[in-house]
Amino acid sequence: MPPLIFITGASSGIGQALAKRFYDAGYSLALAARRTAEIHTWAQAENLDPQRFRVYSADVSDIESIVAAGQQCIQAQGLPDVVVANAGISIGMDTGVRTDLDVMQRTFATNNLGLAATFHPFVQAMEQRGSGRLVGIGSVAGIRGLPGHGAYCASKAAVIAYCESLRGELRASGVQVVTICPGYIDTPLTRQNRYSMPFLMRPEVFADRAFDAVQRGDRYRVIPWQMGWVAKMLRALPDAWFDRVLAGRPRKRRADEA
């Protein structure tokens, strides 16, 4: 039997690119998303073998929805070798605007609770088997907070910390936890940005490097590596200098600006 990978947010962007990369490496696919029709259209365009993929309708912000999708995957295809919690949203916010608190709530429901709920159906079974890889997609935005990005930066910082905690919990079980922090990847999410995006990378190139990181079982990986150095330098800057560097930088579009 070919190895199996379960991926959330597989209808576009990074999730779609990862699905194609793992498929080309011989994996069968379990693809979860809200927009399942887009996955089927993409799979047909890529001439994927219908025997090697299944699509599950799920909203990761709804815990019961994504847990049910994971359970359906196990029943229909077996226990995955790799689970990628990729689904996420990025919306600007202003704490002084009441409706933006709802945006923050939705961001955390998707990016954080959704990630944990994605892993949940598989953790105990992987522990019993003694193998598996749980992959959390963070972001370099989680390394230091950016003005106007409070919800997204905080959620991705939480992804990094959560995956680190989970890695320690599973250390002796044979189950590996891999944290991947993309920089700027050319996806529908980033195309809405109103600021420069250094080292912008095509999704296919990102998927190649992420595939290598997952196969090696890397604990933590920033892609591209240049953004890792940029993030480290920003992290090391004194607060006053950091604030000055970002002064006047365009902010992420808020929900009512989209």
Side-chain angles (χ1 to χ4, degrees):
M1 294 290 292
L4 175 66
I5 184 170
F6 182 93
I7 306 174
T8 62
S11 59
S12 65
I14 286 175
Q16 202 171 82
L18 287 172
K20 184 62 165 61
R21 181 64 183 85
F22 276 87
Y23 180 89
D24 289 345
Y27 278 72
S28 291
L29 307 178
L31 306 177
R34 290 180 296 110
R35 299 172 297 177
T36 57
E38 293 188 15
I39 299 180
H40 285 292
T41 299
W42 166 78
Q44 185 175 18
E46 295 289 342
N47 294 315
L48 301 193
D49 180 353
Q51 300 301 314
R52 285 182 54 198
F53 79 93
R54 287 186 69 124
V55 179
Y56 302 90
S57 177
D59 180 350
V60 299
S61 68
D62 180 335
I63 291 176
E64 294 306 320
S65 173
I66 186 58
V67 167
Q71 293 168 339
Q72 291 165 15
C73 169
I74 293 172
Q75 292 170 1
Q77 295 176 276
L79 181 62
D81 300 274
V82 180
V83 175
V84 181
N86 163 73
I89 60 174
S90 175
I91 306 171
M93 73 167 291
D94 182 339
T95 304
V97 177
R98 170 60 186 87
T99 54
D100 282 8
L101 299 182
D102 299 327
V103 166
M104 189 171 194
Q105 182 179 51
R106 182 154 56 98
T107 300
F108 271 74
T110 302
N111 296 0
N112 302 111
L113 286 174
L115 179 139
T118 296
F119 291 160
H120 167 76
F122 309 108
V123 170
Q124 291 186 349
M126 283 184 169
E127 287 184 280
Q128 292 171 2
R129 184 179 63 188
S131 67
R133 293 189 174 110
L134 303 173
V135 183
I137 303 298
S139 171
V140 294
I143 297 173
R144 189 150 196 182
L146 303 172
H149 291 60
Y152 184 70
C153 290
S155 74
K156 290 303 184 178
V159 166
I160 294 168
Y162 167 81
C163 288
E164 186 172 44
S165 298
L166 186 62
R167 188 179 72 234
E169 294 167 16
L170 299 176
R171 181 179 61 84
S173 70
V175 180
Q176 298 174 314
V177 178
V178 179
T179 306
I180 295 179
C181 291
Y184 293 114
I185 312 300
D186 185 14
T187 68
L189 276 180
T190 59
R191 287 170 199 152
Q192 300 177 39
N193 291 342
R194 299 183 286 191
Y195 42 80
S196 63
M197 295 181 285
F199 311 113
L200 183 67
M201 177 177 281
R202 289 185 293 110
E204 297 78 12
V205 177
F206 167 83
D208 280 340
R209 299 184 187 180
F211 174 84
D212 291 341
V214 172
Q215 292 297 95
R216 287 194 304 266
D218 288 354
R219 294 177 178 85
Y220 178 86
R221 178 84 179 272
V222 176
I223 303 173
W225 64 265
Q226 294 94 330
M227 282 303 299
W229 282 105
V230 170
K232 286 181 179 179
M233 288 188 289
L234 290 176
R235 181 74 267 176
L237 280 178
D239 290 344
W241 293 11
F242 178 77
D243 294 345
R244 193 174 301 125
V245 166
L246 294 180
R249 182 178 186 264
R251 297 189 176 194
K252 186 81 175 179
R253 291 183 189 276
R254 295 174 47 257
D256 60 9
E257 296 176 322

